[in-house]
Amino acid sequence: MKLIAINLDCPDPLALAAFYQQATGLEPHPRSDADFAGLNGEHGLFIGFQRVDDHRAPSWPDQTVPQQLHICFEVDEDLDAAEARLLELGAAKPDHQPHGDRARVLTDPAGHPFCIIAR
């Protein structure tokens, strides 16, 4: 069995795909549209973003609305530089940071938490 796709629910697939495209450098899928957008990743891994009406953003770390998904990314630059770049792209940084200096938890523009980890 081989993992080939990860899909995230969101209110605006094109906007969330643009955030992750700018953050990762992955190539947009040519048939992306307002209902489903995607990025083509390394080794055939596809990251998809599907429109969900009345999407409720996760409330991490509070579980009122569970996190739904958690993605981790290894970054080449130091964590401060990576964090600053991602915040400029539209990420947010929750107050709760459980990993100390090893990693940072951020949330994407649709509220999904993700970690950045120094190489």
Side-chain angles (χ1 to χ4, degrees), residues 4-88:
I4 60 167
I6 296 171
N7 296 291
L8 288 81
D9 291 348
C10 63
D12 186 341
L14 291 172
L16 196 55
F19 168 79
Y20 279 104
Q21 192 277 324
Q22 291 174 31
T24 65
L26 297 176
E27 291 297 317
H29 190 277
R31 292 188 295 212
S32 293
D33 62 32
D35 289 320
F36 190 87
L39 300 173
N40 295 316
E42 295 180 31
H43 310 291
L45 182 62
F46 178 83
I47 302 174
F49 310 94
Q50 64 185 16
R51 177 181 302 283
V52 171
D53 293 332
D54 301 321
H55 176 264
R56 291 177 50 206
S59 57
W60 188 90
D62 173 335
Q63 292 297 303
T64 304
V65 179
Q67 67 181 342
Q68 305 164 11
L69 178 73
H70 187 103
I71 303 173
C72 295
F73 295 94
E74 186 176 72
V75 296
D76 291 328
E77 68 253 73
D78 74 21
L79 287 177
D80 290 335
E83 177 185 311
R85 181 174 63 84
L86 292 163
L87 293 173
E88 188 173 303

Side-chain angles (χ1 to χ4, degrees), residues 72-119:
C72 295
F73 295 94
E74 186 176 72
V75 296
D76 291 328
E77 68 253 73
D78 74 21
L79 287 177
D80 290 335
E83 177 185 311
R85 181 174 63 84
L86 292 163
L87 293 173
E88 188 173 303
L89 292 175
K93 183 178 180 184
D95 291 334
H96 182 63
Q97 294 293 316
H99 304 298
D101 293 335
R102 298 172 315 180
R104 307 272 167 81
V105 178
L106 302 175
T107 57
D108 70 23
H112 303 102
F114 66 95
C115 284
I116 55 172
I117 302 165
R119 187 174 288 227

